[in-house]
């Protein structure tokens, strides 16, 4: 019997605990160590592990776990601000890293991610679960089959009413609050830019060339705070949040596609990733959840009618990605409708098999850089900012892949 | 009995004929002259007028109609490229102008519109029908009532599959074809920016400060042409269309709101103006056609569910604008669900009553300038471009109005 892959989970907030539980349900993986700055979280995680008849080491300092004789892979699920520091250390120690999503604080941080990975040769993967979403996968599948024709415009967003989570950040020990007080950027671009970059073959024959971002005023959090009356909200009464409520970013691609992404987390709204793909033969948009494929008949009808709200449910079954079909029971095995399970399996199987990382360090550096670049553009009044090439020209030669992490 | 308002209709393509018929149904207005470069169109219009027991003068040269003793108002419904020239001439002749929508070819054109109007004192109105759309009016009504809270982000677009109209432009004598061959801009911004500017009080306490536009590659028309085989499409076989399929524009406002508009006319899709309003208390979006108003209960639900496709139908009745309720039979009286009737009545009643124009020359100059400014930004690789102030500072003093053209 093959030895189980030994993982350490660093960061035991809501996200870390969720991923830890997903790992605990896998037969070929074990959690040998957990770590968090807060001891109560460590104890809670250890208790959960022992309940499943396992045992693990608990630490409040991740540096004590940087020994590759004991750990085969590290899952980093801390606050955004600690991701890269831990990833650097793990890669230097030769321990493969699966890192949760987040934006970068500087372009240099992204370049260093690439440098450390190239120098050490240690695998690094960004655990962007939305690359494995049912709709994102179905659209990728349709793009690869040419059903949308030539892809021309892609959109997405992180449109999630987080006012409660942000404003009660101190109560919940959640790191978002500080981000909204101190920065103005698209602070969370990867949920939408990940799937977009994959279907546009970014860093594999295509690349992001430039970016410009525009931020709205900050009004949503202030009003939210003013409506309540408790110790946490009262403390925020006079805070001027630096983060604009809505941040738009337009990205130019080397192959001529336009990308529009939005951060929209401080206003009342239903959740949406606003995922939209438009090509010369068809389109999909998450707002309205409809597909629309070209045909003479459809065209004639479309002038007046044509929108078929929520037909996505039907299309997404018809054009389900092979990965999704293969692991259709995945939704029973993890959070967010199966995505979390798929992204974890992609990482674990690539580490175990010594395969290339499905979402590699060039992907991660490119996606995370949007946060730093959008901050720069906003600071300059929405000016055009050049997008660095983290592959140093290798994007021209790197080949597109059908998809990532599963041999299909 | 009060004398009827005598109008001349210049430009008798589909749009001109549509508006002419709307005017012919009004009891207090008559069409005393029609004009088009094509004689057959003039004859067709005259035949239609005589069928309704009237008679009118027909011309192929609008200059022959520039006598205010015979004409009380001029409706300009020609190709975009002739709008301003005719408007200048009419204003110089002292004839009030109702001008169809379109973009400007230069910022100078917009400044001249303002200059001629201010110097001659002749009324000018842009006939932007979408300002009078049912949803646009309902949202304006809700904004004025504070139901969305502080407005933070507004979006819109002209998302209309025009591949057929563009590519058969020669057959249909439609001017759009040339525009797509020679320019790269948001060539048709007013359908969405009109209602947006009205609800943001642009030029009345607020103004557009800067703009940046990004255009996708041009692929939709080429592929459309390649699929057909007839004399019109074959002629276009080797044409390189300059117009990008999708053009995004982000506009910064003096009061901190973000505006995102899109031109999307060369790809298969159902019609949409993508109208979206987001404030600190609620939102509406046309894609999906849903309203969402803040409440504790709604908030808790929204994390996972919350989207209620097509609930717009219900909301738009509940919050119908007084104008819409007052003239709820309007849809029986004109095209585009009543909008055309409302915009014409707004113009005609303002002219007859000597009232200020509901969509005045500052509005028109500002909205039309987007075409020229977007072309400049695209030419500069999506750079930030300053937005001129066509009011010369008067925007700070000009007062917001409840709405335009109807005393409510």
């Amino acid at each position: 019997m093959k030895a189980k892959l030994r993982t350490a989970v660093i960061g035991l907030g809501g996200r870390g605990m969720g991923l830890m539980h997903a790992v605990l349900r896998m037969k070929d993986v074990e959690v040998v160590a957990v770590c968090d700055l807060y001891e109560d979280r460590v104890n809670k995680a250890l208790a959960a592990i022992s309940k499943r008849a396992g045992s693990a080491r608990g630490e409040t300092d991740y540096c004590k776990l940087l020994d590759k004789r004991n750990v085969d892979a590290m899952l980093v699920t801390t606050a955004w601000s600690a991701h890269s520091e831990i990833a650097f250390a793990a890669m230097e120690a030769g321990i493969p890293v699966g890192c949760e999503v987040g934006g970068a604080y500087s372009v240099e941080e992204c370049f260093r991610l690439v440098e450390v990975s190239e120098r050490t040769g240690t695998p690094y993967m960004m655990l962007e679960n939305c690359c494995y979403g049912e709709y994102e996968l179905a659209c990728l599948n349709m793009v690869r089959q040419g059903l949308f024709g030539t892809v021309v415009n892609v959109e997405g967003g992180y449109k999630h009413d987080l006012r409660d989570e942000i404003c009660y950040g101190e109560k919940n020990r959640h790191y978002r609050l500080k981000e909204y007080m101190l920065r103005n950027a698209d602070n969370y671009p990867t949920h939408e830019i990940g799937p977009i970059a994959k279907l546009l073959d970014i860093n594999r024959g295509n690349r992001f060339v430039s970016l410009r971002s525009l931020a709205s005023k900050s009004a949503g959090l202030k009003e939210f705070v003013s409506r309540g009356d408790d110790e946490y909200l009262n403390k925020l009464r006079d805070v001027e949040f630096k983060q604009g409520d809505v941040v738009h970013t337009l990205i130019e691609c080397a192959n001529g596609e336009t990308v529009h992404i939005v951060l929209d987390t401080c206003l009342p709204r239903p959740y949406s990733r606003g995922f939209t793909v438009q090509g010369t033969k068809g389109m999909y948009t998450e707002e309205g959840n409809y597909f629309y494929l070209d045909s003479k008949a459809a065209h004639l009808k479309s002038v007046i009618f044509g929108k078929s709200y929520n037909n996505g449910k039907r299309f997404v079954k018809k054009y389900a990605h092979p990965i999704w079909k293969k692991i259709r029971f995945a939704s029973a095995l993890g959070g967010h409708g199966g995505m979390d399970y798929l992204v974890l399996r992609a990482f674990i199987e690539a580490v175990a098999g010594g395969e290339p990382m499905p979402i590699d360090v060039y992907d991660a550096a490119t996606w995370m850089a949007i946060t730093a670049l959008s901050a720069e553009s906003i600071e300059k009044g929405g000016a055009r900012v050049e997008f660095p090439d983290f592959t140093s020209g290798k994007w021209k030669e790197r080949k597109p892949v059908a998809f990532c992490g599963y041999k299909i």
Side-chain angles (χ1 to χ4, degrees), chain A:
Chain A
M1 196 184 122
K2 216 176 147 189
K4 288 185 177 186
L5 196 85
R6 299 165 302 168
T7 63
V9 181
I10 318 296
L12 300 167
R15 188 70 186 136
M17 287 297 279
L19 286 192
M20 188 192 80
H21 278 291
V23 170
L24 287 175
R25 279 191 291 267
M26 295 176 190
K27 288 182 180 155
D28 53 348
V29 193
E30 59 186 331
V31 178
V32 295
V34 291
C35 176
D36 197 284
L37 289 173
Y38 300 106
E39 208 164 338
D40 60 310
R41 285 182 176 174
V42 174
N43 291 334
K44 202 176 142 200
L46 289 175
I49 292 169
S50 70
K51 226 176 171 180
R52 297 186 80 96
S55 75
R57 186 170 159 188
E59 293 290 348
T60 53
D61 178 1
Y62 73 89
C63 293
K64 295 190 179 154
L65 299 172
L66 293 170
D67 185 339
K68 70 175 174 180
R69 289 171 302 183
N70 306 326
V71 176
D72 298 320
M74 201 163 254
L75 297 172
V76 180
T77 52
T78 62
W80 306 337
S81 52
H83 283 177
S84 291
E85 175 200 316
I86 300 170
F88 297 152
M91 285 194 279
E92 296 284 3
I95 301 172
V97 182
C99 188
E100 253 302 331
V101 304
Y105 292 80
S106 71
V107 171
E108 291 68 34
E109 178 186 339
C110 305
F111 271 113
R112 187 166 161 203
L113 212 52
V114 170
E115 186 275 325
V116 175
S117 165
E118 287 182 346
R119 178 168 47 75
T120 62
T122 312
Y124 171 100
M125 175 170 163
M126 176 180 270
L127 301 176
E128 181 39 83
N129 57 353
C130 296
C131 288
Y132 299 85
E134 184 174 17
Y135 281 80
E136 287 87 345
L137 279 174
C139 285
L140 180 71
N141 192 31
M142 293 171 78
V143 166
R144 297 293 186 232
Q145 290 180 33
L147 291 165
F148 291 131
T150 304
V151 174
V152 169
N153 179 60
V154 192
E155 306 181 14
Y158 187 60
K159 306 181 179 198
H160 192 178
D161 179 356
L162 292 174
R163 292 174 297 169
D164 201 87
E165 179 175 309
I166 295 164
C167 293
Y168 288 99
E170 196 189 324
K171 182 180 179 190
N172 306 321
R173 297 185 297 197
H174 199 288
Y175 48 86
R176 263 199 175 93
L177 174 58
K178 213 171 62 182
E179 303 283 341
Y180 282 73
M181 288 167 71
L182 303 177
R183 275 207 295 187
N184 193 5
D186 185 332
N187 61 35
Y188 208 59
T190 70
H191 279 342
E192 68 269 20
I193 207 66
I196 288 172
K198 285 296 177 188
L199 71 78
L200 292 178
D201 296 321
I202 296 302
N203 294 333
R204 296 179 174 279
N206 198 2
R207 82 173 193 92
F208 294 147
V209 172
S210 71
L211 160 161
R212 66 282 302 136
S213 299
L214 192 67
S216 77
K217 61 182 157 194
S218 176
L221 296 180
K222 205 167 183 69
E223 183 161 326
F224 184 83
V225 166
S226 77
R227 278 189 232 156
D229 180 16
D230 59 43
E231 60 170 312
Y232 300 102
L233 296 183
N234 289 343
K235 262 193 210 173
L236 299 174
R237 196 77 59 203
D238 299 319
V239 166
E240 294 298 330
F241 292 92
K242 200 174 167 201
Q243 178 64 52
D245 292 341
V246 177
V247 176
H248 293 273
T249 299
L250 295 173
I251 307 178
E252 178 190 6
C253 297
N255 294 344
E257 302 90 349
T258 37
V259 176
H260 173 234
I261 60 171
V262 184
L263 178 78
D264 172 7
T265 52
C266 302
L267 299 172
R269 63 160 307 127
Y271 181 87
S272 172
R273 291 199 293 278
F275 185 55
T276 299
V277 185
Q278 289 185 268
T280 52
K281 287 182 179 159
M283 66 167 288
Y284 168 70
T285 187
E286 186 178 334
E287 294 290 347
N289 190 26
Y290 64 84
F291 285 82
Y292 183 90
L293 298 182
D294 209 3
S295 75
K296 189 67 187 166
H299 171 52
L300 290 173
K301 233 180 98 187
S302 76
V303 178
I304 308 293
F305 316 104
K307 250 185 277 188
S308 191
Y309 298 121
N310 230 354
N311 75 12
K313 286 182 187 180
R314 186 161 46 81
F315 275 81
V316 90
K317 281 204 171 56
K318 184 170 176 188
Y319 297 107
H321 195 284
I323 292 175
W324 193 266
K325 280 196 267 191
K326 199 171 156 189
I327 319 193
R328 68 161 72 84
F329 57 89
S331 61
L333 293 169
H336 295 117
M339 299 193 299
D340 293 356
Y341 177 78
L342 285 171
V343 72
L344 272 179
R345 289 309 303 174
F347 172 65
I348 283 159
E349 291 175 21
V351 170
E355 304 282 337
M357 290 292 111
I359 301 174
D360 67 14
V361 75
Y362 303 109
D363 294 326
T366 304
W367 307 351
M368 290 166 70
I370 289 169
T371 300
L373 296 168
S374 64
E376 183 187 340
S377 176
I378 290 166
E379 193 70 35
K380 293 178 176 169
R384 174 196 162 107
V385 169
E386 298 298 313
F387 213 109
D389 171 15
F390 293 101
T391 72
S392 303
K394 290 196 287 282
W395 67 274
K396 289 178 192 163
E397 313 299 333
R398 281 160 52 96
K399 296 280 169 257
V401 285
F403 194 61
C404 39
Y406 296 93
K407 292 183 201 87
I408 51 162

